[in-house]
Amino acid sequence: MIDPDEPLETQVARQAKIIDALMRRANRQHEVGGSAYGAFQSAIALQGQIWAKTRDLERTTDELRHARDDTQRMRKNLADALSAMDGGVALFTAGRLEVCNDIFLKLLPDVSERLQPGLTVEDCFAAMSESRHLSSVEGNFDAALAQARRGRVGTSVVSLVIELAGDRWYQINLQRTSAENLVLLLTEITPIVRRNRSEKESLIDRQADYLQAVFENMTSGVCTFSPAGEVMMYNQQFRQLLGLPYTMLQHGTDLQRLLDFVAQHRLIAEAAEHDIHHWLDRLERQGRLRRRVRHATGRMLDLHAHRLPDGGVLLELKDVTLESRATEMLENRVTERTAELTRANAQLREQFDEMARVEEELRVAKERAEAAVSSKTRFLAAASHDLLQPINAAKLLIATLMDTTADTRFAPMVERLDGSFCSIEQLLHSLLDISRLESTDQALTPTEVCLGALMRSVWEDQTPLAQRKGVQLDVVPNMCFVRSDPVYLLRSIQNLVVNAIQYTAPGGRVLAGCRRRGNTVELQVWDTGIGISRKDQKRIFEEFARADNVPLGSGVGLGLSVVDRTCRHLGHKVRVRSKPGVGSVFSIEMERVAGRVVDEQEGCNVATPAECEMDHIVLVIENDPDVLFALTGKLEQWGASVLAARSLDEALGHVRDMGMAPDIILADYQLDNGETGDRAIRALRDETGVRIPAIMITANRGNALLKKGATEGFSVLTKPVQLSRLRPLMEWKIRWQAPEEAAE
């Protein structure tokens, strides 16, 4: 019934009420009870309870008296402690004033009577703000109180600075000591404020001296005016540049008066009176003014006027006479230079017109030259068949003649004749290759080429030349594939090998082989010939260029030019290493094709057949009678039965008369009346119903015919035909590609 946590006064009042209630209850029981003994017994029990409660009440009263004494003693000690502090202190409990010291009360005497215990914090600040002794507050009482209440207990301190009458300054600190208690401390900072003010004024004075010293040492003239337009600070340079008397430029002089003086005495030549009076309006509107004016003495001055942050004006004068004169001189020089450039431009225009005329003439001449070169290229490309036909016929006849006169006195003469025709053939091939490489109509076609087949072909073609020269020719085949043009790569390898044989003395050696270097293959041709000097190595790839140590009659110097042009078109790299008297190494570096498998025809290694009779029926289709006669004679000399035809109709007639398919077809590509060898081969196969082995002999070196031959099943040999390659190829095709029934 009694809460021990309640104040002692509350507990005593509750006990008194309980005792009074018990006394009234005992009196009622005594009046109503029917038994005297029961009433007596109840009175005794009640008396015991009353005594017990009385003892508790006395003990509680003593404790309350002691607590009150302790509280009064603690309050007195707190008041003494607060009185001993230098600053004003006020303690607020649950938002109300609990205790404060005399300094706090006497700080604002006119409101001290309102600062009584129980006053709220808000009312305390309201009373302080209404005091006559409060001059200013740096901050806001309400905002500071709200910030202090939001801060953490014991750590957050909110400060305000107040100014009292008599130039006294105090700092108010607010700090929460518990959830509901707030301490307000007032600390006098008057000495600090006055010292700071003194130091600031001293600093300003020193800065003014420094600023004045800076002004005096500036090359420009500077003058400042107050917001009211009065002179505040200036240097002597400003007065001297403007030519003002001492009495005119003094502290307090009005800016308008200064401008009137300048206008009246015409100190500025270009500034008319009506113009100079508008300077202030322009400065007011734009905030700045910039003018270049001429002084009455002839000096050029730059005038800069700026509005200062406080509304004042800063005027700056700078003597730019030398700069103006330099600018004027520069402008005069620019004018003169412009005139010179104008004249030069006119001359250049005349020269340009002359150059345009010359260029037009050169363009016309160039077009004529290109037309002539194109005509020459087209002529050589178109006439290659006609040029090679007699060479082909002559070589076939010479080959037949060599076999016929092998053991007679005419053999050396025929051999020399064959060598002469070989030289003519080589020169003609070089000229045709250069013309094709220069022609834009016939571009090289890179494809996947097997080096083994090309090197084997070169070995077969050039072995007779090496044997006649007494040079050992060795070829190390490499069955890897590269990306190149097969026709022109074969010609390049042949040119390198022929040159190596030609410039190697009898008993020497020529070796051709390949080296793999990562993703590339380097084809090398070594020889033990005469070698090439270092200075000649830079020009041997030019047309008609020959080394100094080359004997007369050794060619015209076109072979290496064909190699260089071919490799540049195909993206190959050509290199040469040589030493005079030791030998040379020519190499062609090409891109290698990985993962390519050699098929039967690409990797065929046809051995030279034994000298035996060729017991085969050969159908030859050739529109040139000389070539047809020579080739027929050579085939018959080999033992073959030859059916000679000059056209497709004549070939079909032979097949129909014979009643069977021939063993092999040798056909020229370019026939009369628009007929071609591939159409003739296809027509004969359709006529006989048999896939007859066929070889195309042509002067056409394009890749299109090679691709068509691979698709339609015929081989291609270029003119002049090499007999050393023709006979093995015929034997291989007849043996391994025997006639099959044609597909329906």
Side-chain angles (χ1 to χ4, degrees):
M1 296 178 68
I2 298 175
D3 189 356
D5 295 331
E6 293 181 349
L8 293 178
E9 293 84 350
T10 305
Q11 295 182 22
V12 172
R14 288 183 178 273
Q15 289 180 358
K17 289 180 181 180
I18 293 173
I19 293 172
D20 184 63
L22 291 176
M23 292 295 293
R24 287 197 304 271
R25 181 179 180 184
N27 291 333
R28 284 197 303 272
Q29 288 181 355
H30 181 70
E31 294 174 357
V32 180
S35 173
Y37 178 78
F40 176 75
Q41 189 176 9
S42 297
I44 293 173
L46 180 60
Q47 183 66 32
Q49 293 178 3
I50 291 172
W51 286 349
K53 294 297 182 179
T54 301
R55 287 193 302 270
D56 293 339
L57 180 60
E58 292 175 350
R59 185 171 58 254
T60 302
T61 302
D62 291 340
E63 293 177 356
L64 180 61
R65 185 173 59 254
H66 291 308
R68 186 180 296 110
D69 294 340
D70 292 340
T71 301
Q72 292 177 354
R73 186 168 55 255
M74 290 178 61
R75 184 182 295 274
K76 185 177 183 303
N77 293 336
L78 179 59
D80 293 340
L82 293 179
S83 299
M85 296 182 66
D86 293 336
V89 180
L91 175 62
F92 292 86
T93 303
R96 293 184 178 275
L97 181 60
E98 181 71 23
V99 63
C100 63
N101 62 359
D102 294 339
I103 298 176
F104 183 79
L105 293 174
K106 295 177 181 179
L107 188 65
L108 302 172
D110 56 339
V111 296
S112 59
E113 294 181 356
R114 298 170 59 181
L115 305 178
Q116 299 297 326
L119 185 68
T120 63
V121 180
E122 292 82 358
D123 293 338
C124 179
F125 282 152
M128 294 175 64
S129 61
E130 296 173 2
S131 173
R132 299 189 307 274
H133 297 278
L134 183 64
S135 298
S136 63
V137 180
E138 294 184 4
N140 184 276
F141 285 124
D142 295 336
L145 179 59
Q147 183 178 355
R149 286 175 172 173
R150 289 195 303 268
R152 291 187 298 173
V153 175
T155 58
S156 180
V157 177
V158 182
S159 299
L160 292 172
V161 176
I162 61 175
E163 180 186 3
L164 303 183
D167 194 23
R168 292 182 301 156
W169 297 81
Y170 282 83
Q171 179 175 327
I172 302 176
N173 295 330
L174 291 83
Q175 183 175 11
R176 292 177 62 192
T177 59
S178 64
E180 297 181 353
N181 295 343
L182 183 68
V183 175
L184 191 150
L185 302 176
L186 281 82
T187 304
E188 186 173 6
I189 58 174
T190 301
I192 299 175
V193 173
R194 291 177 180 176
R195 184 171 61 252
N196 289 341
R197 184 189 302 160
S198 176
E199 292 177 355
K200 183 177 180 181
E201 292 175 353
S202 176
L203 181 61
I204 291 175
D205 293 339
R206 289 198 302 271
Q207 292 295 333
D209 295 338
Y210 293 155
L211 184 59
Q212 185 64 42
V214 171
F215 273 20
E216 291 298 338
N217 288 279
M218 290 179 65
T219 58
S220 308
V222 179
C223 182
T224 60
F225 296 85
S226 67
E230 297 177 350
V231 174
M232 296 177 57
M233 186 179 297
Y234 66 93
N235 60 359
Q236 295 300 321
Q237 187 71 9
F238 181 82
R239 185 188 63 79
Q240 294 174 1
L241 287 176
L242 203 56
L244 297 174
Y246 284 99
T247 57
M248 180 55 60
L249 196 63
Q250 297 295 329
H251 291 284
T253 303
D254 187 66
L255 175 60
Q256 185 65 48
R257 179 187 173 192
L258 182 64
L259 294 178
D260 292 341
F261 181 85
V262 171
Q264 292 174 4
H265 292 79
R266 300 185 180 275
L267 297 181
I268 297 178
E270 290 85 351
E273 186 174 353
H274 67 277
D275 185 28
I276 198 170
H277 288 165
H278 289 80
W279 287 5
L280 292 179
D281 296 336
R282 189 172 304 169
L283 180 62
E284 185 68 27
R285 292 195 308 270
Q286 300 180 0
R288 61 190 180 91
L289 177 67
R290 177 172 295 182
R291 282 293 186 89
R292 173 164 289 188
V293 296
R294 183 183 299 275
H295 195 264
T297 59
R299 295 194 304 268
M300 295 299 297
L301 303 177
D302 269 355
L303 171 65
H304 294 177
H306 300 275
R307 277 289 181 185
L308 297 177
D310 61 351
V313 177
L314 172 66
L315 289 182
E316 181 184 2
L317 285 175
K318 185 181 295 184
D319 189 354
V320 292
T321 304
L322 296 178
E323 179 183 345
S324 177
R325 291 176 181 174
T327 303
E328 186 177 357
M329 291 176 59
L330 182 60
E331 289 177 352
N332 294 334
R333 293 182 62 184
V334 169
T335 303
E336 295 174 358
R337 186 60 176 167
T338 302
E340 294 177 0
L341 291 175
T342 302
R343 292 191 296 271
N345 188 31
Q347 295 176 0
L348 288 175
R349 287 181 179 275
E350 295 177 0
Q351 295 177 5
F352 178 77
D353 295 339
E354 180 66 20
M355 289 178 60
R357 185 183 62 79
V358 173
E359 287 181 359
E360 180 64 22
E361 294 178 356
L362 290 175
R363 185 186 63 80
V364 174
K366 180 174 178 292
E367 291 179 354
R368 292 174 180 173
E370 290 177 349
V373 172
S374 178
S375 176
K376 180 263 298 182
T377 302
R378 288 194 302 269
F379 168 75
L380 290 175
S384 61
H385 180 270
D386 296 335
L387 291 172
L388 291 175
Q389 283 289 72
I391 300 294
N392 187 36
K395 288 196 65 176
L396 291 173
L397 292 172
I398 290 173
T400 305
L401 188 59
M402 288 180 66
D403 293 339
T404 304
T405 62
D407 297 326
T408 66
R409 61 186 180 88
F410 299 105
M413 186 182 303
V414 176
E415 185 177 350
R416 288 181 177 273
L417 181 62
D418 182 60
S420 299
F421 269 93
C422 287
S423 298
I424 295 175
E425 177 191 2
Q426 189 70 19
L427 177 60
L428 182 59
H429 276 303
S430 298
L431 290 173
L432 292 176
D433 288 338
I434 291 176
S435 68
R436 293 189 186 100
L437 291 173
E438 288 179 348
S439 176
T440 57
D441 298 330
Q442 297 187 11
L444 300 177
T445 306
T447 185
E448 297 180 1
V449 182
C450 177
L451 287 179
L454 296 184
M455 296 175 71
R456 178 71 183 180
S457 175
V458 171
W459 179 81
E460 292 175 350
D461 292 343
Q462 305 306 326
T463 295
L465 175 62
Q467 291 175 350
R468 289 195 300 270
K469 187 70 181 297
V471 175
Q472 180 182 349
L473 174 61
D474 295 320
V475 175
V476 181
N478 189 314
M479 305 309 293
C480 66
F481 282 80
V482 296
R483 288 199 60 81
S484 185
D485 185 281
V487 175
Y488 284 92
L489 180 59
L490 175 62
R491 291 291 302 154
S492 298
I493 300 174
Q494 285 179 339
N495 286 340
L496 293 180
V497 173
V498 168
N499 278 1
I501 295 173
Q502 184 176 2
Y503 298 118
T504 300
R509 185 186 179 191
V510 175
L511 173 64
C514 296
R515 294 181 184 272
R516 296 189 181 185
R517 302 185 186 277
N519 295 328
T520 62
V521 176
E522 186 174 347
L523 188 146
Q524 297 179 341
V525 178
W526 295 67
D527 66 64
T528 59
I530 60 176
I532 308 169
S533 64
R534 185 176 297 274
K535 67 181 183 67
D536 289 335
Q537 292 178 17
K538 299 179 180 180
R539 63 185 186 88
I540 56 176
F541 291 101
E542 300 175 1
E543 290 89 347
F544 307 106
R546 297 165 53 189
D548 294 338
N549 58 346
V550 172
L552 296 176
S554 301
V556 295
L558 288 177
L560 292 180
S561 175
V562 173
V563 175
D564 181 64
R565 286 172 179 260
T566 300
C567 292
R568 279 194 283 109
H569 281 77
L570 293 172
H572 303 336
K573 296 180 181 179
V574 183
R575 299 185 181 91
V576 59
R577 301 196 311 272
S578 183
K579 185 175 182 182
V582 177
S584 305
V585 181
F586 286 86
S587 60
I588 302 177
E589 184 178 320
M590 298 161 284
E591 178 186 356
R592 185 167 65 91
V593 179
R596 183 73 159 80
V597 181
V598 181
D599 58 28
E600 183 179 358
Q601 183 173 355
E602 291 171 332
C604 64
N605 189 7
V606 182
T608 303
E611 293 297 333
C612 58
E613 294 292 329
M614 181 181 288
D615 188 15
H616 304 301
I617 299 175
V618 181
L619 176 58
V620 179
I621 308 175
E622 173 62 61
N623 62 334
D624 189 297
D626 294 334
V627 176
L628 180 62
F629 173 77
L631 183 57
T632 300
K634 189 60 182 178
L635 291 174
E636 290 177 346
Q637 190 179 41
W638 287 347
S641 299
V642 181
L643 301 176
R646 298 185 58 183
S647 64
L648 174 59
D649 292 339
E650 191 173 346
L652 290 173
H654 288 320
V655 171
R656 290 169 184 157
D657 293 341
M658 187 172 55
M660 59 180 295
D663 295 322
I664 192 170
I665 300 173
L666 303 182
D668 185 15
Y669 177 71
Q670 210 168 8
L671 303 175
D672 294 334
N673 301 322
E675 293 181 351
T676 57
D678 58 330
R679 296 177 186 174
I681 294 172
R682 192 161 51 248
L684 290 170
R685 287 175 176 176
D686 293 340
E687 176 68 24
T688 60
V690 177
R691 189 177 178 85
I692 307 170
I695 298 176
M696 184 80 67
I697 302 176
T698 177
N700 189 335
R701 296 173 178 268
N703 288 330
L705 188 58
L706 293 175
K707 293 179 180 179
K708 180 178 289 189
T711 303
E712 298 185 6
F714 60 81
S715 300
V716 179
L717 289 179
T718 57
K719 292 181 179 181
V721 65
Q722 300 290 338
L723 297 178
S724 58
R725 297 181 59 192
L726 176 61
R727 184 168 183 174
L729 183 58
M730 291 177 59
E731 293 288 350
W732 178 81
K733 293 186 73 68
I734 293 173
R735 184 183 308 163
W736 298 105
Q737 295 184 1
E740 301 174 354
E741 295 296 326
E744 294 294 336

